[in-house]
Amino acid sequence: HQSFAALDTTKVDMVTSRSTSSSRYTIPANRAKDHSAYKGIPKFDEYEIYYMDLQPKQSYYQRYVRGEILPGDFKKLAEKYDIDTSSLSPEFIRQRASVFSGIRNGSKSIIVDANNDNDFSNDEIVEYSITDQTAYIIDSISSTLVQYEYFHLNRKYDREMYFKILPFSKAYGTKDSLQVYFSQDQHQVGVFQASGVEYKISLPEPNWVGGNYDHALLFLKKEDGEYI
């Protein structure tokens, strides 16, 4: 097995690569219980607001700082997810991507808060028919470029990433017709060599949705040029 522990630190140039259907991973968004921070909410009789934390450890910590998570509960989360608070910001970081989902007149309306200002009035609304929920496969959904903030090494960064927001999912069923699903539509790819062997690194790994790149995947290049 190749060990990287003794290797010198190497800078790997990463390029943005759009995802393919075979590498996309879909996950249900979380339902927001409190809507007070949002504005520009359309007047629908039936609607919900969903979100995805793109830097989950930062989300847990800032919710703890704001008193939304009790100290005992945060301690358990820190142990479970290996949260190092010294690497996180006590200040609010806009790391969350939010989505409005509403049903009216036989259509499901989706609004992605793409500019991350908690205001749905200045974002595009996309409508889908709810009569044929199985028709919306992932390749038929347009990507949305979502802006967000990312905290790293005592500095806040403005970042953006492409996501597909799915109105329905075969994998998770359609019991909740308001539920939406996130699929990351890009990742970072780079190539490096170690001990004469070429590797490709993908950040994050395909089975992951998020903006913090905690999850990486290495691919070994075989003699025929393919990566495994």
Side-chain angles (χ1 to χ4, degrees), residues 2-64:
Q2 172 67 46
S3 174
F4 297 98
L7 295 177
D8 293 334
T9 300
T10 300
K11 181 180 179 180
V12 180
D13 293 326
M14 308 293 287
V15 296
T16 299
S17 174
R18 299 297 292 274
S19 301
T20 62
S21 58
S22 61
S23 66
R24 291 195 182 108
Y25 178 70
T26 302
I27 187 170
N30 302 297
R31 183 175 63 87
K33 298 179 181 179
D34 184 3
H35 297 174
S36 61
Y38 297 98
K39 58 183 180 179
I41 300 175
K43 295 182 179 180
F44 278 61
D45 292 333
E46 187 179 3
Y47 76 91
E48 289 286 0
I49 294 175
Y50 293 90
Y51 69 89
M52 183 63 63
D53 285 322
L54 303 182
Q55 193 175 4
K57 293 180 181 180
Q58 174 63 41
S59 175
Y60 287 133
Y61 183 49
Q62 64 190 32
R63 287 167 59 197
Y64 163 67

Side-chain angles (χ1 to χ4, degrees), residues 4 12 52 111 119 122 132 134 142 149 170 182-183 201:
F4 297 98
V12 180
M52 183 63 63
I111 306 176
D119 185 353
N122 53 17
D132 187 8
T134 61
S142 298
E149 295 176 343
K170 285 184 178 180
F182 272 71
S183 179
I201 185 171

Side-chain angles (χ1 to χ4, degrees), residues 47-116:
Y47 76 91
E48 289 286 0
I49 294 175
Y50 293 90
Y51 69 89
M52 183 63 63
D53 285 322
L54 303 182
Q55 193 175 4
K57 293 180 181 180
Q58 174 63 41
S59 175
Y60 287 133
Y61 183 49
Q62 64 190 32
R63 287 167 59 197
Y64 163 67
V65 171
R66 297 167 73 178
E68 298 173 9
I69 298 179
L70 296 175
D73 293 334
F74 180 74
K75 182 179 179 180
K76 294 177 182 178
L77 288 169
E79 292 174 351
K80 181 178 181 180
Y81 296 111
D82 192 25
I83 300 175
D84 178 9
T85 57
S86 65
S87 65
L88 302 172
S89 171
E91 304 299 326
F92 182 76
I93 303 296
R94 291 185 177 275
Q95 55 77 45
R96 176 171 290 185
S98 300
V99 179
F100 168 90
S101 173
I103 292 178
R104 183 172 59 187
N105 299 327
S107 294
K108 183 171 184 176
S109 298
I110 302 294
I111 306 176
V112 182
D113 183 21
N115 57 6
N116 211 324

Side-chain angles (χ1 to χ4, degrees), residues 129-219:
S129 171
I130 63 175
T131 58
D132 187 8
Q133 296 183 354
T134 61
Y136 296 97
I137 58 175
I138 194 168
D139 286 332
S140 69
I141 305 298
S142 298
S143 299
T144 301
L145 186 62
V146 176
Q147 300 174 5
Y148 65 100
E149 295 176 343
Y150 177 76
F151 189 82
H152 181 64
L153 296 178
N154 296 315
R155 180 180 173 185
K156 182 176 68 175
Y157 295 86
D158 292 323
R159 301 180 70 174
E160 56 186 19
M161 185 175 292
Y162 281 100
F163 290 93
K164 286 179 178 282
I165 310 300
L166 283 69
F168 313 112
S169 170
K170 285 184 178 180
Y172 292 97
T174 56
K175 293 181 180 180
D176 184 351
S177 57
L178 287 170
Q179 178 71 52
V180 296
Y181 306 84
F182 272 71
S183 179
Q184 195 156 317
D185 198 33
Q186 72 176 61
H187 52 277
Q188 303 296 315
V189 176
V191 176
F192 70 97
Q193 288 194 346
S195 301
V197 180
E198 184 173 299
Y199 296 87
K200 180 172 70 173
I201 185 171
S202 175
L203 297 170
E205 64 171 296
N207 293 336
W208 176 253
V209 176
N212 59 347
Y213 294 152
D214 274 354
H215 295 238
L217 198 64
L218 280 177
F219 300 90

